[in-house]
Amino acid sequence: MQSVVIFGGCGFIGSFVAKYFLENFLFDKIILIDIEPISIKDSFFRRKLIESDSRIEFICADVRQNLKKITYLENIALILNLAAIHREPGHDAREYFETNTLGAENVCEFAEFVGCNNIIFTSSISPYGVSEEIKDEGTLPVPITAYGSSKLIAEKIHQIWQAKDKNNRRLVIARPGVVFGPGEGGNVSRLIKAVLHRYFCFTGNQDTRKAGIYVKELCNAMWWAFKRQEITGDKVALFNLSMNPGPSIAEYVNVVCKVANVNRIVPSIPYGFLLSSAHCIDFLAKFLGIKHPFSPIRIRKLVQSNNILPTYLLENDYEFLYTLESAFSDWKDSCPEEWH
């Protein structure tokens, strides 16, 4: 009776990974370890994914703390480390390192403790840093944020774990771009709502490329990479997860309109004016204690390309399941309330 442990299993990606394993009958038991369970405050769609399945077990634990107190688990065939602090802005620099690097150390120690030789780790494209140049897995990482730095360190921690028993341990490291889909509530969700409710605008960034991946594609690709190791004998796989090529901002907007069957004339506002306005809104919002979506950091991201290529997937003949249009259509069909 084989089990899989998913750290961060109650989050957005973790919920879909658990559902993927359930639907494909890949494990007898799926153990979700997270700091808190999926609750009423989470997306209804996400709660609906994995509730009421006898193969699901939840364990409350914090990856920032020693995990060896979880002493009763047996026959762990695979560990997924999805636990992370990732939203930018929203956290102090210290918090990214506390969860992402210390968490990596504790998860790897846990793998040794339970005798599991297989780990899949979700990193990020953030270690590449910001540049208009095209990047793939051979590009030297140059992170410029605490999040990107913490993720790169976490990758090295997992690689050290694998190297301690390089003949028997297998490691998959996925570097996804922005992961989107039902219940996400992040950048792509905000873009959809902004376009549909007519408050999205271009800032001369129509051609800016943003590497992205549909959450169901991410689940399939990570499992494909893991199973491929059984065929090739490779012990370490590190790969980018993005559509090829990463869609431009204009392509995201056009596909939103096509899938939603609406016509939108999207205005263009000078970047300097928008950034200055965001600073003013941010200052007033902080003074009044109000949350808002117009952070200057998010405005800067609008004009910064993440032009990341999934070269590993392409060179090894991975067959993509979704285009941007089919991904958005599936999202709308699965969760239509997020497209109003």
Side-chain angles (χ1 to χ4, degrees), residues 148-166:
S149 299
S150 68
K151 277 295 193 180
L152 184 60
I153 294 170
E155 288 182 10
K156 301 304 180 186
I157 291 169
H158 286 86
Q159 288 169 338
I160 291 170
W161 166 84
Q162 191 279 330
K164 288 180 179 179
D165 190 356
K166 62 183 180 181

Side-chain angles (χ1 to χ4, degrees), residues 162 166-172 229 232-237:
Q162 191 279 330
K166 62 183 180 181
N167 293 323
N168 295 308
R169 292 179 178 174
R170 290 163 55 193
L171 173 65
V172 171
Q229 289 179 320
T232 64
D234 294 338
K235 300 299 183 182
V236 179

Side-chain angles (χ1 to χ4, degrees), residues 233-276:
D234 294 338
K235 300 299 183 182
V236 179
L238 186 153
F239 64 100
N240 296 332
L241 261 173
S242 173
M243 289 171 284
N244 181 48
S248 67
I249 298 292
E251 287 170 336
Y252 277 106
V253 170
N254 291 337
V255 174
V256 168
C257 293
K258 184 175 182 180
V259 169
N261 194 27
V262 298
N263 292 315
R264 293 290 184 267
I265 297 175
V266 180
S268 186
I269 296 177
Y271 170 69
F273 174 79
L274 192 63
L275 183 61
S276 299

